[in-house]
Amino acid sequence: MNTDAEFGRLLLFEQIRKDAEETYKLNPSDADNLTRWGGALLELAQFHSISDAKQMLQDAITKFEEALSIEPKKDEAVWCIGNAYTSFAFLTPDETEAKQNFDLAAHFFQQAVDEQPDNPHYLKSLDMTTKAPQLHAEVHKHGLGSQPMGAVEPAAASSSSKVVKNKKNSDAKYDMMGWVILAIGVVAWVGFAKANAPVSPPR
């Protein structure tokens, strides 16, 4: 539907990834750059096949972990890891394996909330991840998990009117998938904004 816009996003985050890679060569101890790099990988994973997306998510987690080895209390990187595990879980058909990833995501979301208790993104992520296993089962029941990540949101919108009969469950499913996609976008957007705006002193 929005092919041009999607292609524009793909180019944008690929450029952010390349810039972060070059910056890393000059300064491998820049935790902000590593978080930005991981965020771009999270975003780019949406445009790839399941296997490639999983690899990109694993690469993103590695970048976030490296950022945390430099700044152990960097809550943005912690939250990003939670998003990566959430996305990885939705791409995993096996419920047991997916639950392990959802549990890891919840652990990191809780850690982010502990660092920033008033952050609405962190609180929302922690709240929504409790509903993730049920949604995962619904998604894979209808075969939506076999599609590229970028196709998940419109598929969820379609299924909510054509496949799932229970209105409440349908709405929850659509909201959750929208949240997953949004969370990934927010991660990368934050990284992009930080890369292109003057740093404001913390309040």
Side-chain angles (χ1 to χ4, degrees):
M1 187 185 299
N2 297 312
T3 305
D4 291 341
E6 291 298 305
F7 184 64
R9 287 174 63 234
L10 174 63
L11 293 179
L12 170 65
F13 291 107
E14 179 59 28
Q15 186 60 52
I16 293 173
R17 184 197 65 77
K18 289 179 180 178
D19 290 346
E21 189 173 356
E22 291 303 313
T23 299
Y24 181 80
K25 293 176 183 178
L26 300 173
N27 182 12
S29 298
D30 186 339
D32 285 338
N33 183 63
L34 283 161
T35 303
R36 185 162 52 246
W37 190 352
L41 289 171
L42 277 179
E43 183 76 24
L44 289 169
Q46 296 182 58
F47 299 95
H48 290 77
S49 66
I50 300 298
S51 59
D52 288 346
K54 283 186 168 183
Q55 184 58 57
M56 295 189 86
L57 291 170
Q58 290 176 329
D59 290 345
I61 289 171
T62 299
K63 299 296 182 290
F64 297 136
E65 288 176 339
E66 191 172 346
L68 288 171
S69 71
I70 299 166
E71 287 187 37
K73 290 187 175 293
K74 190 169 185 58
D75 54 279
E76 289 175 357
V78 172
W79 180 65
C80 287
I81 292 179
N83 278 297
Y85 278 120
T86 299
S87 299
F88 197 95
F90 274 108
L91 296 179
T92 303
D94 183 78
E95 289 188 20
T96 301
E97 184 182 348
K99 186 179 185 307
Q100 292 173 346
N101 283 286
F102 284 132
D103 288 344
L104 283 168
H107 166 76
F108 285 105
F109 288 146
Q110 182 63 64
Q111 201 173 322
V113 169
D114 290 344
E115 290 293 331
Q116 293 285 339
D118 296 326
N119 187 302
H121 293 301
Y122 300 173
L123 292 168
K124 180 70 170 177
S125 298
L126 182 59
D127 175 57
M128 293 298 285
T129 200
T130 61
K131 305 170 186 175
Q134 179 181 352
L135 175 63
H136 172 273
E138 192 67 35
V139 166
H140 286 275
K141 177 182 177 182
H142 297 296
L144 303 183
S146 62
Q147 302 180 24
M149 290 179 67
V152 168
E153 190 173 23
S158 173
S159 75
S160 63
S161 60
K162 297 178 182 178
V163 179
V164 184
K165 294 181 180 180
N166 186 299
K167 180 70 164 63
K168 185 177 293 185
N169 288 343
S170 169
D171 290 345
K173 177 179 177 181
Y174 180 68
D175 289 346
M176 182 66 183
M177 289 314 298
W179 168 76
V180 170
I181 299 300
L182 174 62
I184 296 171
V186 168
V187 169
W189 179 83
V190 167
F192 175 70
K194 285 198 167 189
N196 292 276
V199 177
S200 300
R203 294 181 177 272

